[in-house]
Amino acid sequence: MIMNLNSTVTLNNGVEMPRLGFGVWQTSNAVATDSVRMAIKHGYKSIDTAKKYGNEPGVGEGLTRGLAENGLKRSDIFLTTKIFIGDQGYQSTLDAFAGQLKSLQTDYVDLVLIHWPVPGKYLDTWRALEKLYRDGKIRAIGVSNFNIIRLKNLLKHCSIKPVLNQMEFNPLEQEADIKAFCDAHDIQMEAWSPLGHGSALTHPVIMGLAEKYDKTPAQIIIRWELQRGIITIPKSTHEEFIASNTKVFDFELADADINAINALDLDKRSGWYGDWQVFGNPNGKPTAVENRD
Ligand code: NDP
């Protein structure tokens, strides 16, 4: 049920994960500390970071201070981080994760994702995450930016299946084939850049719906993601947006309006998703390397 910031999805290992969380990409340590404190103050129960963002120490500080300032305990917040491309491999993941725990000022992480699938390494990275999961250092393990080829390969070789796949998802980028694959395999979808990194906020259809429902464009998009069953983690550094992005539980989009947003999908990257940060191919066609498992 989509009720409030405490509303969760039950992941395939039984862990409850908040449906609406908070992202911190492209924020410095100092800004991340303040953003996380503000997010906790405004009731967010889930924070998403990554070693690649360079702000795990700032997030850890914000988490520690935010919990104290609001009379909360560590288990009240669901914390996600990710394994950096350069750390992938079995022992290197174990070593990197130990450092990430220290940076984040915590002795466990709720969810750890393979940030990007590095061919030839991501299965070893996964084995390390399985060990950390079995050792009780991580409550759930998942992936990010995995296309269907990589998901299939991982499912063939893993002993613990990923709980979710975090991928770019917003009105303009819906990755329908990956979503269908994840649905069929009980892998939860989570949206990164859920507001299109800001770009979807000015789409005329979104602005029209904002006027119709007397909501902001961001609230319309976040609500659409929640009603689509997608976990979403909008980011902002402004307290006004951090607060208003949570006001999405007092209205419901009609089916016709959900469908109107569904129809905005540009379907640019389906099926080969995910290698441009590794191999430098921002908008190119799939290549043999991108399609290998
Ligand atoms: P979003 O889609 O969340 O958009 C963030 C942008 O929208 C910022 O410029 C923000 O501005 C602006 N914004 C937020 N709320 C509002 C509002 N109510 N009105 C107007 N503007 C608003 O972008 P991100 O790319 O940051 O994605 C969210 C999170 O997803 C990241 O922070 C990160 O945690 C995760 N992510 C994961 C990736 C992966 O590979 N796994 C890749 C990319 C992101 P401002 O900050 O100035 O307030």
Side-chain angles (χ1 to χ4, degrees):
M1 289 266 284
I2 310 171
M3 305 278 290
N4 53 43
L5 284 165
N6 294 313
S7 297
T8 57
V9 169
T10 307
L11 302 174
N12 66 27
N13 69 343
V15 165
E16 301 287 331
M17 176 169 180
R19 290 173 181 270
L20 173 55
F22 183 72
V24 295
W25 185 33
Q26 293 175 326
T27 59
S28 65
N29 278 304
V31 173
T33 297
D34 285 345
S35 302
V36 168
R37 286 172 62 211
M38 283 189 272
I40 294 174
K41 177 177 127 190
H42 287 286
Y44 288 84
K45 293 295 188 301
S46 169
I47 310 287
D48 179 277
T49 186
K51 181 170 175 183
K52 165 99 169 105
Y53 305 165
N55 60 18
E56 285 181 322
V59 168
E61 184 64 19
L63 181 62
T64 300
R65 289 169 62 182
L67 295 178
E69 287 158 1
N70 294 280
L72 298 174
K73 49 190 186 312
R74 171 66 186 85
S75 57
D76 292 323
I77 298 291
F78 190 101
L79 179 64
T80 300
T81 195
K82 312 185 189 91
I83 302 298
F84 178 54
I85 288 171
D87 289 332
Q88 289 197 34
Y90 183 77
Q91 190 57 44
S92 47
T93 294
L94 297 179
D95 294 345
F97 181 73
Q100 291 178 262
L101 278 183
K102 281 201 187 102
S103 296
L104 290 164
Q105 302 186 19
T106 183
D107 54 9
Y108 74 95
V109 176
D110 295 277
L111 173 64
V112 177
L113 309 178
I114 298 182
H115 202 151
W116 292 84
V118 178
K121 288 194 174 174
Y122 66 84
L123 292 178
D124 286 338
T125 307
W126 189 255
R127 281 197 302 115
L129 292 186
E130 288 179 335
K131 173 176 169 41
L132 292 165
Y133 175 79
R134 289 198 180 96
D135 290 350
K137 299 282 183 199
I138 305 176
R139 295 179 63 228
I141 53 178
V143 297
S144 182
N145 303 305
F146 270 53
N147 65 17
I148 292 174
I149 293 170
R150 275 71 184 270
L151 285 170
K152 277 187 180 162
N153 193 40
L154 182 60
L155 289 176
K156 198 162 83 187
H157 292 98
C158 67
S159 53
I160 300 169
K161 140 178 177 172
V163 294
L164 63 73
N165 188 14
Q166 183 187 104
M167 48 177 280
E168 186 175 20
F169 184 94
N170 59 64
L172 308 178
E173 206 52 82
Q174 300 180 29
E175 302 294 355
D177 54 348
I178 298 179
K179 165 96 171 66
F181 183 90
C182 287
D183 287 350
H185 291 84
D186 194 17
I187 297 170
Q188 172 68 38
M189 286 287 305
E190 181 178 21
W192 65 250
S193 291
L195 307 176
H197 208 56
S199 68
L201 296 170
T202 50
H203 192 286
V205 169
I206 301 297
M207 290 173 72
L209 290 171
E211 202 174 321
K212 173 176 171 183
Y213 286 89
D214 195 19
K215 286 284 173 183
T216 67
Q219 288 163 343
I220 295 293
I221 295 174
I222 294 165
R223 180 72 205 187
W224 167 74
E225 283 153 359
L226 294 173
Q227 285 186 227
R228 287 282 314 265
I230 309 278
I231 291 175
T232 181
I233 47 170
K235 167 259 179 184
S236 176
T237 52
H238 294 98
E239 185 156 15
E240 178 199 343
F241 295 156
I242 290 173
S244 69
N245 288 351
T246 69
K247 309 294 180 208
V248 293
F249 301 105
D250 56 354
F251 75 113
E252 188 167 333
L253 293 169
D255 287 348
D257 295 327
I258 293 283
N259 290 333
I261 304 179
N262 291 348
L264 302 182
D265 186 11
L266 298 175
D267 193 22
K268 281 197 304 223
R269 296 201 189 116
S270 284
W272 61 277
Y273 194 82
D275 276 341
W276 55 272
Q277 288 219 345
V278 184
F279 299 108
N281 185 16
N283 290 303
K285 297 279 181 221
T287 65
V289 125
E290 283 159 350
N291 281 326
R292 81 185 215 213
D293 62 18

